[in-house]
Amino acid sequence: MVQMPMPNEGILARRADIVRALYDLLPEACVIADAVARRAYECDAVSAYRQLPLAVVLPRNTAEVAAVLKYCHGAGVPVVPRGAGTSLSGGALPVADGIVLGLGKLNKILDIDFPNRAVVTQPGVTNLGISNAVAHAGFYYAPDPSSQIACTIGGNVGENSGGVHCLKYGLTTNNILGLELVLMDGTILRLGGKQLDAGGYDWLGLLTGSEGLLGVITEVTVRILRKPATARALLLGFPSSQVAGDCVGQIIAAGIIPGGMEMMDRPAIHATEAFVNVGYPLDVEALLIVELDGPPVEVDHLIARVSAIADQCSAMTKRISTSEAERLAFWAGRKAAFPAAGRISPDYLCMDGTIPRRALSHVLTRMGELSQHYGLGLANVFHAGDGNLHPLILFDANKPGEFDKAEAFGADILRLCVEVGGVLTGEHGVGVEKRDLMPVMFSEIDLDQQRRVKHAFDPKLLLNPGKVFPLLSRCAEGGKMHVAGGALAHPDLPRF
Amino acid sequence: MLRAARWLTPIFPASKALPMFTPLTPGELAELVRSTALAGEALALHSGNSLSALGHPPRGDRLHHSLSLAGFDAIIAYEPDELVLTVGPGIPLTEVKALLAERRQRLAFEPPDWGPLYGQPAGIGTLGGVIGAALAGSRRVTAGGARDHMLGFHAVNGRGEIFKAGGRVVKNVTGYDLPKLVTGAFGTLAALTEVTVKVVPAPETVDTLMLPRLTPARATEVMAQALGSPHDVGSAAYLPASIARDLIPGAGDSATLIRLEGFAPSVEARAAALMAEFGGTVERLGADVSRKLWQALGDATPLVGLHEDCLWRISVPPTAGAAILEAVQAVRPLATGWLDWGGGLIWLALPPHPGERDGGAAFLRGLVTDGHATLMRAPERVRASVPVFQPMPPALAALAQRLKASFDPHAVFNPSRLGA
Ligand SMILES: Cc1cc2nc3c(=O)[nH]c(=O)nc-3n(C[C@H](O)[C@H](O)[C@H](O)COP(=O)(O)OP(=O)(O)OC[C@H]3O[C@@H](n4cnc5c(N)ncnc54)[C@H](O)[C@@H]3O)c2cc1C
């Protein structure tokens, strides 16, 4: 279990008073105090990390969110914001001396404005819910995390989530126009709107991806796009990942930005084919799905160009979708990668580093060596266009020590990503999972600058504590964090 | 008074008595920042200096030294296949554009050159200026702005510390997105020494559809229809007759403009489809006219010669722009202006108005309920007396102060450029 900040005994002792105060602020159905019902909130999608919160509150509107935060601010009670709890970095993991503030009851779409291509929504609406609400007019909300049927737009803003189409259409941050934010002290701020430039500091940019550490988002204005007229895909098999990676580079060099460009390695191909049976070639080392979307004339034109590039790159197999059913079949395996991994292994860890694509074959080779070293299997799916790797580490949590080994393996992979010029996380966030690796990428001065930004929003450090920034008490443990020379750059600064 | 350290080149510009500092390494810059902070003085940051008249003028209560970041102008890494470019922010924008053009790439957000707008020569603007002021052209409406393409940076903060944030890859959520935060911060948070930006392929060709003689209200509907169509419209603007005549050969009336970019067969097909959907008179302007036209709109060329006028740039929801433009012109018939970003951006030049001392701030801000109006160009006395940027509610202004202090506790960098 990952270490969390030591719970404040004083708060634990005051639990009954705190719960009573919350009942005073909210209707009874909006406060969850009993242990059994609270258990539903003890973890997010990183289920290896669990913690029962003091209580759970489910406010129904901005005013109630503000009232809860104001109370907690005064009483010194930590607050963990939570959307659907699908975070893959432990971002919504509760703390023992804090409450979970669930946004699930703020689940209404407030305004659909086609002429301004914007939707105003409460944070608890699911990602897919937004697209569904505008689909009748041919519109959609572009960022499409695989979890989109469950994850909320508030959580997407929290994590700056991506999806398979984000090379062309951007991450959450590129598709947000406005936010309503409640600060920890209960102050309500409205930022941006349906206009493009909000003026002043780029609050939207700072808040998107801030992992619930700066404020609670109570309303989101998103940009919606007209659905591309058509989409077609190529399924390409290659003798090596290196060649597949080169092919990706050549497509981009030809001036083509595909709607999606996904790669799988041999273990991933075999696992997914066994799971969904869509006819993936089993004799290739790497499989590439290249999807072109847009006006039909353009898609046909680009299919021909990508096809020619694939031939030059000596693709071993090449299929081009001729129907919507066939295109979806190409995707079926890739989309089933996680459950497929779940079928070949009792447990798996999904990693999320980004690398410069030129380093791909080096990284894959090194990961193969690490896999041998740890004695754990590995399957790779990869957002090839933007270099975002999702290695799936296969392990069995019932075997003593295996989870720790899997975590150590994962940390080695992320260190490798940074070593080759990449980053620790491309779309899943730092959370608690990668928190202690932050010093691999950032110096203590870099991190202190970020800590001071946190401080400007939440000086008492009550919002989502224990996330994103390494806990100092971990310094000496397992080499997970090191402080250069044992010296702290700013001993005066609060650490959290 | 701060003494110039030995490694600094004290250049004495003719008009100013104080030396200009031009550090060449992050270490030199950090030392300068620390000594300035210690002396209780301030630094006015710039690199190309094309935008020095944008924002509030420095207040007289503190000594401001001129700090040029033009020395950080190296090309550090350009990886076309990875879609990333890492440079020193002092590099001239023209140089960046030429470098990218060699590999048939560009900056998607179409950064303009506003030098001439401020009476400066064209071509002196730098990438650092583009990022600091978050400049973007007509493609902003679909491709995003400077912030959407800013991936990482190295900088010196107001404590004189060298730090970095973001990364050198296109997809990254590690830590707070400070690269977006410093974009458009007008140098009030940190002095950038290295930036990584996302670059994209340049389109094979471009064309523009022109619908003549529409009213601003009807033009807004047409632009919404075009931008909401599946035909991948990149930008949409509305020009009143006076401006259309100047920029478009043969134009005699107002012009509603729809830009299409991309692969030649695609542009052809989309143009045909849109013309069929619009019906009525639609002209195609062709690639050459298109390129010059959209560049002129981004650079605000029609306003360059209007020396007496105060210039405004107003960002509103796209359907709100036309009514504001019409309301302005109803009472100020001599005002010049047009709509870009599908109606969401209004450029305005207001000629002097009897009895008005605020450059039109109260008048315009009274019309803008949802959005923000920036006073782009005005005499220094006007900029010193009215908020150049849309005023913030008090709670947000307080947060902005705390945020500024988290980077620059002694308010060394451009202390009053964004206002109080
Ligand atoms: C099967 C599966 C597939 C996935 N695929 C993808 C993928 O393709 N791409 C991708 O990017 N991610 C993916 N994810 C990760 C996850 O779905 C996203 O991070 C998602 O955005 C989380 O949304 P949520 O509503 O579940 O938020 P939660 O998990 O509840 O919270 C996420 C973070 O945001 C904060 N937060 C939540 N709501 C608010 C709010 N209103 N105000 C302030 N802070 C808030 C929380 O404190 C937490 O730090 C996947 C997850 C799973 C389980």
Side-chain angles (χ1 to χ4, degrees):
Chain A
M1 174 72 191
V2 66
Q3 191 189 336
M4 291 300 281
M6 282 295 285
N8 179 325
E9 292 296 336
I11 295 177
L12 295 179
R14 280 192 287 133
R15 176 166 186 271
D17 295 342
I18 292 166
V19 169
R20 212 170 307 119
L22 294 171
Y23 275 122
D24 285 345
L25 293 173
L26 300 176
E28 203 172 316
C30 297
V31 181
I32 300 174
D34 83 88
V36 178
R38 264 187 289 151
R39 206 154 282 292
Y41 295 86
E42 71 177 355
C43 69
D44 56 24
V46 187
S47 57
Y49 306 148
R50 289 168 191 271
Q51 172 61 55
L52 209 58
L54 268 191
V56 178
V57 294
L58 303 171
R60 298 167 303 171
N61 51 49
T62 304
E64 289 182 355
V65 171
V68 168
L69 289 175
K70 189 167 183 215
Y71 163 73
C72 289
H73 187 250
V77 178
V79 175
V80 177
R82 178 182 170 107
T86 66
S87 168
L88 287 174
S89 53
L93 175 70
V95 289
D97 57 354
I99 64 164
V100 165
L101 191 161
L103 281 306
K105 285 195 198 287
L106 277 83
N107 59 1
K108 281 169 217 57
I109 290 181
L110 303 174
D111 177 20
I112 296 177
D113 182 347
F114 290 115
N116 284 313
R117 298 172 299 284
V119 168
V120 184
T121 169
Q122 292 188 320
V125 170
T126 62
N127 172 295
L128 190 61
I130 299 174
S131 286
N132 286 344
V134 296
H136 64 279
F139 281 79
Y140 76 121
Y141 172 64
D144 58 343
S146 326
S147 51
Q148 68 181 157
I149 52 166
C151 65
T152 66
I153 188 67
N156 290 175
V157 173
E159 302 286 16
N160 190 12
S161 302
V164 292
H165 292 103
C166 62
L167 180 67
K168 184 167 176 184
Y169 297 102
L171 294 150
T172 304
T173 190
N174 311 109
N175 291 278
I176 296 293
L177 295 169
L179 292 175
E180 183 183 73
L181 179 81
V182 186
L183 297 179
M184 187 63 213
D185 66 4
T187 306
I188 300 168
L189 299 174
R190 294 190 64 85
L191 310 163
K194 289 178 186 171
Q195 70 275 21
L196 283 176
D197 280 353
Y201 290 131
D202 188 354
W203 303 108
L204 302 185
L206 176 62
L207 288 162
T208 309
S210 63
E211 305 198 23
L213 267 71
L214 301 182
V216 175
I217 289 146
T218 48
E219 190 186 293
V220 187
T221 302
V222 302
R223 179 170 90 114
I224 50 168
L225 301 179
R226 183 66 186 258
K227 271 212 185 92
T230 188
R232 289 175 68 194
L234 298 97
L235 187 72
L236 306 168
F238 293 92
S240 73
S241 304
Q242 169 85 53
V243 180
D246 289 348
C247 185
V248 170
Q250 288 197 29
I251 292 170
I252 289 175
I256 302 168
I257 301 291
M261 191 145 52
E262 292 292 306
M263 197 192 291
M264 287 187 272
D265 70 356
R266 175 181 270 270
I269 300 165
H270 283 250
T272 55
E273 177 59 18
F275 190 58
V276 291
N277 254 305
V278 282
Y280 282 173
L282 296 174
D283 56 343
V284 301
E285 287 300 316
L287 194 65
L288 201 58
I289 303 171
V290 183
E291 177 163 291
L292 286 317
D293 63 2
V297 171
E298 175 169 322
V299 170
D300 292 348
H301 176 73
L302 294 183
I303 287 271
R305 288 178 70 162
V306 171
S307 173
I309 292 170
D311 292 344
Q312 278 160 28
C313 295
S314 45
M316 295 163 68
T317 60
K318 181 175 82 183
R319 285 170 58 195
I320 299 174
S321 73
T322 52
S323 67
E324 192 57 7
E326 195 174 15
R327 181 183 74 87
L328 294 174
F330 290 178
W331 278 106
R334 168 62 185 88
K335 295 217 158 157
F338 291 8
R343 213 183 70 144
I344 57 170
S345 168
D347 298 284
Y348 66 91
L349 273 187
C350 172
M351 308 310 293
D352 169 49
T354 302
I355 57 168
R357 204 175 336 89
R358 67 182 133 73
L360 178 63
S361 82
H362 167 71
V363 168
L364 289 175
T365 308
R366 280 288 296 136
M367 288 199 297
E369 290 163 13
L370 288 167
S371 165
Q372 299 243 305
H373 169 79
Y374 284 102
L376 296 175
L378 185 70
N380 276 295
V381 295
F382 182 37
H383 302 307
D386 45 32
N388 189 195
L389 276 176
H390 289 318
L392 304 174
I393 299 172
L394 311 176
F395 70 100
D396 182 352
N398 287 326
K399 289 192 188 148
E402 230 174 54
F403 176 64
D404 293 341
K405 260 206 289 187
E407 275 201 307
F409 184 3
D412 281 351
I413 290 177
L414 296 182
R415 278 194 199 93
L416 176 62
C417 290
V418 175
E419 198 181 292
V420 299
V423 300
L424 294 172
T425 170
E427 58 182 8
H428 292 170
V430 176
V432 286
E433 188 220 8
K434 293 174 267 294
R435 179 191 72 189
D436 297 334
L437 289 168
M438 287 291 270
V440 174
M441 195 168 142
F442 294 115
S443 74
E444 203 54 30
I445 291 178
D446 302 339
L447 289 174
D448 280 344
Q449 180 56 64
Q450 302 207 19
R451 288 184 174 106
R452 282 193 303 272
V453 169
K454 158 82 170 165
H455 217 256
F457 281 78
D458 174 23
K460 292 190 178 177
L461 312 178
L462 293 171
L463 259 180
N464 219 1
K467 315 288 167 67
V468 180
F469 299 108
L471 302 186
L472 281 190
S473 52
R474 263 200 96 86
C475 325
E477 265 172 57
K480 274 205 159 184
M481 173 179 166
H482 64 275
V483 176
L488 290 174
H490 298 284
D492 53 317
L493 257 181
R495 310 275 158 176
F496 36 88
Chain B
M1 157 79 189
L2 175 71
R3 285 222 318 273
R6 125 195 85 69
W7 38 262
L8 292 170
T9 333
I11 300 170
F12 291 84
S15 59
K16 303 240 170 69
L18 290 169
M20 174 165 80
F21 294 107
T22 55
L24 296 175
T25 67
E28 291 175 359
L29 174 59
E31 200 181 318
L32 173 65
V33 170
R34 281 193 300 270
S35 52
T36 308
L38 216 59
E41 294 166 0
L43 295 167
L45 276 62
H46 58 91
S47 16
N49 222 0
S50 65
L51 303 175
S52 57
L54 172 54
H56 285 272
R59 272 203 308 264
D61 55 347
R62 282 172 72 198
L63 191 55
H64 279 67
H65 301 276
S66 172
L67 165 59
S68 168
L69 298 166
F72 298 94
D73 63 349
I75 297 167
I76 296 158
Y78 175 31
E79 293 168 279
D81 288 13
E82 311 274 354
L83 302 173
V84 293
L85 171 70
T86 303
V87 293
I91 188 170
L93 183 61
T94 47
E95 213 175 296
V96 172
K97 286 183 174 170
L99 177 74
L100 298 179
E102 279 171 30
R103 303 298 295 264
R104 283 183 287 140
Q105 292 192 327
R106 68 174 180 190
L107 296 167
F109 55 100
E110 211 173 8
D113 181 355
W114 287 348
L117 202 57
Y118 294 101
Q120 309 268 355
I124 63 166
T126 63
L127 186 62
V130 164
I131 289 166
L135 305 192
S138 302
R139 213 178 292 114
R140 168 78 180 89
V141 64
T142 48
R147 49 134 19 218
D148 294 287
H149 299 86
M150 177 66 172
L151 299 172
F153 67 84
H154 290 228
V156 172
N157 65 17
R159 304 154 62 102
E161 295 165 337
I162 297 168
F163 77 109
K164 66 173 181 303
R168 279 201 194 175
V169 289
V170 293
K171 197 167 171 196
N172 174 23
V173 297
T174 321
Y176 296 132
D177 198 342
L178 303 186
K180 288 204 174 54
L181 188 61
V182 297
T183 307
F186 282 86
T188 59
L189 301 178
L192 304 178
T193 57
E194 179 187 311
V195 296
T196 296
V197 291
K198 181 178 176 182
V199 298
V200 299
E204 223 168 70
T205 189
V206 53
D207 205 343
T208 302
L209 305 184
M210 179 174 81
L211 290 80
R213 279 182 302 282
L214 304 185
T215 62
R218 177 68 194 129
T220 302
E221 288 168 14
V222 166
M223 292 190 284
Q225 182 191 346
L227 288 164
S229 78
H231 306 306
D232 251 338
V233 168
S235 17
Y238 166 81
L239 312 183
S242 60
I243 292 176
R245 276 197 288 267
D246 277 356
L247 295 182
I248 305 167
D253 217 314
S254 82
T256 303
L257 304 166
I258 308 295
R259 177 164 58 172
L260 297 167
E261 296 175 289
F263 297 96
S266 170
V267 169
E268 201 56 42
R270 286 182 280 148
L274 276 167
M275 288 169 83
E277 280 171 33
F278 290 143
T281 318
V282 185
E283 284 174 45
R284 284 179 68 171
L285 300 181
D288 287 346
V289 173
S290 288
R291 288 202 180 92
K292 289 189 199 116
L293 166 63
W294 292 99
Q295 161 120 36
L297 290 182
D299 294 350
T301 308
L303 308 184
V304 167
L306 305 175
H307 304 294
E308 300 298 308
D309 294 13
C310 286
L311 305 190
W312 288 86
R313 204 163 171 263
I314 306 172
S315 171
V316 291
T319 53
I324 295 173
L325 183 64
E326 286 186 305
V328 170
Q329 288 182 327
V331 291
R332 306 273 177 105
L334 295 179
T336 312
W338 71 91
L339 303 175
D340 202 337
W341 297 358
L345 177 70
I346 310 161
W347 271 104
L348 268 181
L350 293 184
H353 189 69
E356 190 173 73
R357 289 212 168 71
D358 66 355
F363 165 59
L364 285 176
R365 289 195 172 123
L367 294 173
V368 178
T369 45
D370 218 359
H372 67 107
T374 306
L375 178 54
M376 298 298 297
R377 194 187 71 196
E380 192 163 316
R381 73 184 148 69
V382 177
R383 283 182 292 126
S385 64
V386 301
V388 165
F389 301 94
Q390 185 81 19
M392 287 181 270
L396 191 58
L399 183 62
Q401 276 304 319
R402 297 201 295 276
L403 186 69
K404 156 95 172 153
S406 78
F407 284 84
D408 181 19
H410 313 291
V412 172
F413 295 136
N414 286 352
S416 48
R417 184 121 187 217
L418 287 178

